[in-house]
Amino acid sequence: MSEQVTRVQPDTAFWVIGIVALLWYLIGLFFYYSGVSATPEQLAEVMTDEQVAIITGTPAWVTSANAIAVVAGVIASVLLLIRNTLAVPLYVVSLVAAIVQDIYVFGMSGSLHAFGMQPVVIQGLVLIIGIFLVWYSRAKRAAGVLA
């Protein structure tokens, strides 16, 4: 006998949050691609020498964590919108990858000195949104919206 899963219909806020989350991570994907495809000469047009040195000296593990964070976030957001429970672990992966990236940004790179408060604001927002989406997706899974 097959077990049927009953899904609860989502409210309007669910769709708004899901679409905003997808747009947020697509913007993150755009910035990731822009960052890895920019040449030092292109960066020098808009940054100081110290900032360029930090960007070009970023280790591969940090760049990889950034890629994982945004790609997992995009996929999780699509899964959320199609109401698939796999959105939950992918939001967790995205958040963990963002935290790994932050270890470098805040503790190892010297970017706070070179960039000022910009990394704090951006990465703070990334963490707040990531934590919210893990909580929200778990709550929606528990409520039966995701199956």
Side-chain angles (χ1 to χ4, degrees):
M1 212 179 256
S2 67
E3 192 175 308
Q4 236 179 348
V5 176
T6 305
R7 287 203 282 182
V8 174
Q9 291 295 2
D11 58 7
T12 303
F14 173 85
W15 299 112
V16 171
I17 290 169
I19 290 167
V20 169
L22 179 58
L23 291 173
W24 169 256
Y25 283 109
L26 286 173
I27 290 167
L29 189 59
F30 169 78
F31 280 111
Y32 165 77
Y33 177 75
S34 297
V36 297
S37 63
T39 66
E41 295 77 26
Q42 291 169 324
L43 294 173
E45 292 176 10
V46 294
M47 294 181 180
T48 67
D49 290 342
E50 182 182 17
Q51 291 170 334
V52 172
I54 289 170
I55 298 295
T56 58
T58 300
W61 64 269
V62 177
T63 305
S64 298
N66 187 2
I68 291 166
V70 295
V71 170
V74 168
I75 296 168
S77 297
V78 170
L79 290 171
L80 183 74
L81 287 168
I82 64 171
R83 300 172 56 199
N84 187 307
T85 192
L86 290 175
V88 177
L90 280 171
Y91 276 132
V92 171
V93 167
S94 178
L95 177 60
V96 169
I99 291 169
V100 168
Q101 179 185 6
D102 286 347
I103 290 169
Y104 176 78
V105 169
F106 294 125
M108 303 166 73
S109 69
S111 63
L112 293 179
H113 173 23
F115 290 94
M117 288 301 292
Q118 181 183 0
V120 174
V121 172
I122 292 171
Q123 290 306 119
L125 195 55
V126 166
L127 290 175
I128 290 167
I129 291 171
I131 291 166
F132 170 77
L133 288 170
V134 168
W135 169 81
Y136 186 77
S137 62
R138 289 183 64 174
K140 291 302 168 183
R141 179 178 62 189
V145 175
L146 306 181

